[in-house]
Amino acid sequence: MLTSVGLAARPGLSVWGVRCADDHTGWSAPEVREDYRLVLVRRGRFRRHTGVAVDLEPAVGYLGAPGEEERFAHPAGGDECTSVTLSPALGARLAGGSRPAVYVDARVELAHRRVLAAGADIDYALVEAMLGLLALATAGAPAPGRTPARP
């Protein structure tokens, strides 16, 4: 069972707290979303398949793009995530498309926590924290298992 709670909404972006209580170990039916999104795991783990299977947990998130077919599996039970939905213009500029995995290092995790701590101050603190999070998460840090390009 998937539940979402809107944490903040502004033109160009919205932040959602998502909890999934699924316990299916096999892949779900295919889903196609029509938005750009950054998903960061706060607790638990799950798998996402978009042509390649990726294990997602608090150190690995993902950038999703419109039109990609996704399947999910929850071999370890449920999870809790933060999902940031971006407008098409902002998503295309920042994300540049889908990435099956985004490495969540200490800087990205701190920025994620700042977004969650922004609370009711969505006109200033949330937007400020969100810009920092998006800049770090979309900067192109290699995901686990990827080798960074050599200059």
Side-chain angles (χ1 to χ4, degrees):
M1 182 170 97
L2 186 69
T3 58
S4 300
V5 175
L7 302 176
R10 281 289 167 254
L13 68 92
S14 60
V15 183
W16 297 86
V18 180
R19 176 176 285 156
C20 185
D22 285 344
D23 61 358
H24 59 89
T25 58
W27 293 108
S28 66
E31 303 173 26
V32 178
R33 299 264 314 250
E34 295 304 320
D35 58 3
Y36 285 96
R37 67 210 162 283
L38 168 65
V39 177
L40 299 173
V41 181
R42 292 192 315 260
R43 184 192 63 76
R45 67 182 177 92
F46 62 99
R47 303 189 80 207
R48 178 177 182 251
H49 192 286
T50 57
V52 61
V54 177
D55 291 314
L56 301 159
E57 43 91 15
V60 183
Y62 71 90
L63 286 167
E68 66 186 347
E69 185 177 281
E70 305 173 294
R71 294 175 179 258
F72 296 93
H74 294 83
D79 59 83
E80 293 179 21
C81 300
T82 301
S83 180
V84 180
T85 303
L86 306 168
S87 70
L90 183 59
R93 215 174 351 203
L94 289 176
S98 174
R99 256 195 275 168
V102 173
Y103 180 63
V104 179
D105 62 11
R107 296 174 309 149
V108 174
E109 177 57 23
L110 179 59
H112 180 199
R113 288 174 188 236
R114 286 183 174 152
V115 167
L116 296 174
D121 189 1
I122 60 176
D123 289 322
Y124 176 72
L126 176 78
V127 173
E128 179 99 356
M130 185 58 61
L131 289 173
L133 173 61
L134 292 173
L136 290 168
T138 61
R146 290 182 43 201
T147 305
R150 300 266 191 260

